[in-house]
Amino acid sequence: MHAETLLTLGVAALAAGLLARLGRRIGLPTVPFFMGTGILLGPHMPWPPVVHETETWQLLSAVGIVLLLFHLGVEFPLQQVLSSGRRLLLAGATYIAANVSGGLLYGFLLGWGAAEAMVVAGIMGISSSAIVTKLLVELRRLANAETPVLLGVIVVEDIFLAVYLAVLQPVVGGAGGPLEIFVQIATSFGFLLVLLVLARFGARLVGALLNTEDDELLTVAFFGLAVLVAGASEMVGVSDAIGALMIGLVVSQTVVRERVEQQALPLRDLFAALFFLVFGASVQLGGLGTVALPVLGAVLLTVALNLLAGLLVARMYRLNQRAAANLGLTLLGRGEFALILATMAATAGLDERIGSFTALYVLVLAVLSPLLASASRRLARFIPDRVMSGSWAYVQHETMSSGCPHLGEVAQVEPAGRYEDGCPECLAVGDTWVHLRSCLVCGQVGCCNDSKNKHGTAHFEETGHPMLRTIEPTEDWWYCYLDEVLLQRRSDEQPSR
């Protein structure tokens, strides 16, 4: 019996790794290929299955959920979120409000039931941090101006996930009435509060419990702690995913955080792959046809809501059209959190179509997200200047993919000194010039790069002042040397002369 289990586990893991490697070569994330392996090797195919719906496979899947959420908690940038201010929280809330409310309405429209609608809202409302971060790396956008905002949105979504799981657990768990639902929600939040207090005041004790110079012993200790707290959460009626996330947050405040994060990463990747694989094996192919149209509607709605949220957040941060398109399309990916919610729904005995709906929805978006995100530049061309905010707009066809974070260094708009007769430095040496530019930091006037001496650029190279403006009567634009971004005043506003 043990030999058969080991054999099937080895075959499944090896097949998942090979298929996912093929996916990587064509620029797609690994999640749909792990799920696809589970579908191919699962019990709903015409050939003998490799992955069975047994307690062993379910246990491996549960450990995958625990390690996914535990590692997320460990790497959670709590101090960054607390110091980011209300604007970041508002940006995250914009995405959550758009996608979760849209998902909830869509769930009710499907007519599968109130509990199912809440699950659909969570599935459609929360991005996959794994897919999103992988896209940022593969598309080389880590240095983009919108990337800190994008990562901040993911963090706020993760906070929302913990709260949403706490609320959702008693609803999908079949609580008998309003009073029982209230008691279970209060229990969930009480458990969360205990772990938050532990993170605030008991991190030193937890750090001392885990701290050892031996990496092997450290791995055994944090694994045991994560599984223990997840099991305790399940026993008190709270999702094991919440317990794993919160104890990870506690560990993130300890002295061993970086070592735990490093040691947990390969464990997380292995067991998470098994979780996706087991979920794929539970998908009934016959049910995919019944959810094809609902999934198509959900995908179209998700794309539209994400683009709307991207525009709103870009206006909030005074970013350009390309950044708005990047924000909307990069956050399209759905993955691990959607599958966790679908697993909760299956465990609670909700409508069986939830599993097929989630599998197909995640698969479609996992393929669409990198394709659309890589084509965001084309979409940006169709976003008119008037929908963006601020007095200055990034020129659509001349900007890089990143925005300009140096607007805050602008200290002086009016040119300094006497420049009515031309470039002061060119006049001093008896040379000619073409056009005049003025530094937006100190007001220094110099000639353009079409001029012989290029005094405007020379001033930047000498002082490091990043931004200048044209002072030609027929032009009205700014330029940032560091980001190579051109900005122009909107056509519907009066020039500042």
Side-chain angles (χ1 to χ4, degrees), residues 16-34 130-131 133-135 137-138 265 268-269 273 366 370:
L18 292 176
L19 281 178
R21 190 163 70 181
L22 289 176
R24 282 279 184 86
R25 289 183 177 179
I26 58 176
L28 294 177
T30 58
V31 171
F33 291 91
F34 292 151
I131 292 176
T133 52
K134 190 171 297 184
L135 275 178
V137 173
E138 292 175 353
L265 186 59
R268 183 206 68 175
D269 290 343

Side-chain angles (χ1 to χ4, degrees), residues 165-176:
L165 286 174
V167 174
L168 190 62
Q169 179 72 22
V171 175
V172 303

Side-chain angles (χ1 to χ4, degrees), residues 72 75 127-134 154 157-158 333 335-337:
L72 176 64
E75 64 180 5
S127 307
S128 167
S129 56
I131 292 176
V132 170
T133 52
K134 190 171 297 184
I154 293 176
E157 285 184 339
D158 293 341
E336 60 272 22
F337 302 142

Side-chain angles (χ1 to χ4, degrees), residues 425-432:
E425 294 185 70
C426 288
L427 287 171
V429 296
D431 273 334
T432 58

Side-chain angles (χ1 to χ4, degrees), residues 7-9 11-12 40-43 47-52 57:
L7 181 64
T8 56
L9 177 60
V11 169
L40 292 174
L41 301 183
W47 47 77
V50 174
V51 181
H52 302 267
W57 285 103

Side-chain angles (χ1 to χ4, degrees), residues 54-66 227 271 274 278:
T54 62
E55 290 186 5
T56 300
W57 285 103
Q58 294 301 323
L59 176 61
L60 292 172
S61 175
V63 173
I65 295 176
V66 168
V227 174
F271 283 94
L274 294 177
V278 172

Side-chain angles (χ1 to χ4, degrees), residues 269-282:
D269 290 343
L270 170 60
F271 283 94
L274 294 177
F275 163 67
F276 297 134
L277 192 149
V278 172
F279 182 87
S282 69

